[in-house]
Amino acid sequence: MASYPALALILLSSASLCLRCEAGKVLVYPVDGSHWLTMKILVEALHSRGHQITVFRSNTSWYVSETSPYYTSITVPQNEAQNIESQDAMTAFLKKCIDIHRTNSIWATLELYGNVFDLIRENQKVVAKFAASILGNKTLVKELKAEGYDVFLTDPVFPGGVVLAHYLQLPLVLNVRWIFNGDGHFAIAPSPLSYIPQLFSKYSDKMDLFQRINNLFYHAALVYMHHYVSAPPFQAVCDEYIKEGVNIMSLVQNADLWLMKVDFTFEFPRPTMPNVVYIGGFQGKPAKPLPSDLEEFVQSSGEHGVVIMTMGTLLNDLGPEVSEIIATAFASLPQKFVWRHKGKRPASLGNNTMLVNWMPQNDLLGHPKTKLFITHGGTNGIYEAIYHGVPVLGIPLIFDQFDNLVRLKVKGVGEIIEITTMEVESLTSDLKNILDPGKKYKENMVKLSQLHHDKPMKPVDTAVFWMEFVMRHKGAAHLRTESYKMPWYSYHNVDAIAVLLAILMAVLTLVWVFCRWVIQFLWSKKDSSKSKSE
Ligand SMILES: *[C@@H]1O[C@H](CO)[C@@H](O)[C@H](O)[C@H]1NC(C)=O
Ligand SMILES: *[C@@H]1O[C@H](CO)[C@@H](O)[C@H](O)[C@H]1NC(C)=O
Ligand SMILES: *[C@@H]1O[C@H](CO)[C@@H](O)[C@H](O)[C@H]1NC(C)=O
């Protein structure tokens, strides 16, 4: 009898062995920049499971290296590099945005939108050319078809890969949070604007009437962006290479699986779909020991602990004015500060602050002495902070950063300070506030972190499981709704309601006609009986 559990175990494990996938061939079409840095983690995980991976890259790429132990690359020659996340283009762009922000008016907001749209428009043109160069190379396309890939992995924020996947007829997996017109959920799942704040709105999921009205406007701006800014270059590629004539959005909606870079410890709860798998924070990993000089500095902080500050890879110099404000505020506090700063050394820098060109961010966040993380609000950093349970002070600059930080503020694990109105006093008091254990920021963040870790499987393993699922079953069409193939009036049942209304009207009309007839009949009878009796 005692051997039954053992037998069951053997049966179970052999069943799970059968489920294991034969090593597959994965074709990866990444988006350059920080998006690739996270997707690379997925590529490495797939490689460790024995899959063969091929990655497209442009010869102008900064991040996707040509040689790697994890993948083979296909380099496509391009004359231009994408501008989003190119150091020079972005630094200039951010400076402009900050200047516009200072003049806080409705025109400034419109100008800001205009600038963001220009940046995206230029970028999409360049990125769409990349897809066109691949599709236009007959030899390459033939080689790709002959190779017999099992699955196509791409990031649809620039949807060139989606067109190529359709062309090659491969099962499509998206590694996604944003698509080219905002949050990826909006493309496939019901997204009521009454409680889902739209990108750039800076709202939470609790909106008053005024905010809900504004939320509609923020939505309209993204609809505009979709039709006039970000979709046309890719639609042109579709029109050129896909004969049957398809809409670029429908190709995205047709994806087999959405590996969504979202975790509900961070995102507001919302409706979702069966082919959406949540892997937010899949880049999270335990901290490694710090380099000895940094460890010594961190240890020297004593009971006060350390605060670390970085504004991401894009902007390492906030300009002399802002840098002086930050340095002065830091110098006035008992904590030690590690600050990633590349500009001129501020005159007011205290001896409690260490300037660095680069920092092992994850290892610092995982260090027990780290008390607070000052960040621009990119999701990579935010998920690392949640992973390690470190509260956040956000200084948002562009794109989704403000919206990301709103999610932390609402959960009581962070605060937001605007760069345009930042003063020594406001920064100091915000820092003191978050560092104060009585204010519960740390406590709340530790709770959030526990929720984030409490999962049956690590997010990266979940991602690999579902990639292999798609490979085993050559897609996951049974999880995909057909809703996107419906015209809008059918989707919202306008036609069905119209038919029902028509029937109702007809019935009411009949009843009315009948009643009139009956009444007339009765009257006439009464009249005739009256006349008879007379
Ligand atoms: C990439 O290839 C294009 C076209 O062959 C060439 O003009 C350009 O100089 C190359 N760029 C780099 C950075 O190698
Ligand atoms: C087309 O692809 C082939 C095979 O990968 C490659 O050798 C060739 O250089 C490419 N041609 C152009 C114009 O990029
Ligand atoms: C740092 O500066 C403070 C105040 O100026 C001074 O009291 C302290 O000794 C200095 N510490 C070191 C390690 O230089």
Side-chain angles (χ1 to χ4, degrees), residues 285-291 294-295 308 358-368 370 384 388:
K285 52 177 190 283
K288 295 194 296 290
L290 296 174
L294 204 53
E295 177 67 30
I308 64 175
W358 173 86
M359 62 164 75
Q361 185 174 302
N362 187 56
D363 304 334
L364 271 168
L365 284 170
H367 197 285
T370 302
E384 282 176 4
H388 295 294

Side-chain angles (χ1 to χ4, degrees), residues 77 137 139-140 143:
N137 184 338
T139 342
L140 181 57
E143 283 172 8

Side-chain angles (χ1 to χ4, degrees), residues 269-281:
R270 53 129 47 249
T272 180
M273 282 292 168
N275 62 342
V276 179
V277 173
Y278 291 92
I279 59 162

Side-chain angles (χ1 to χ4, degrees), residues 1 49 76 87 89 106 110 142 153 165 169 188 199 277 283 349 384 411 464 489 529:
M1 284 307 250
R49 298 269 301 174
V76 181
Q87 200 80 48
I106 187 132
L110 289 179
K142 218 169 146 192
L153 174 67
Q169 293 292 306
I188 48 162
L199 178 63
V277 173
Q283 65 271 48
L349 199 73
E384 282 176 4
K411 296 188 159 78
V464 169
Y489 49 85
S529 65

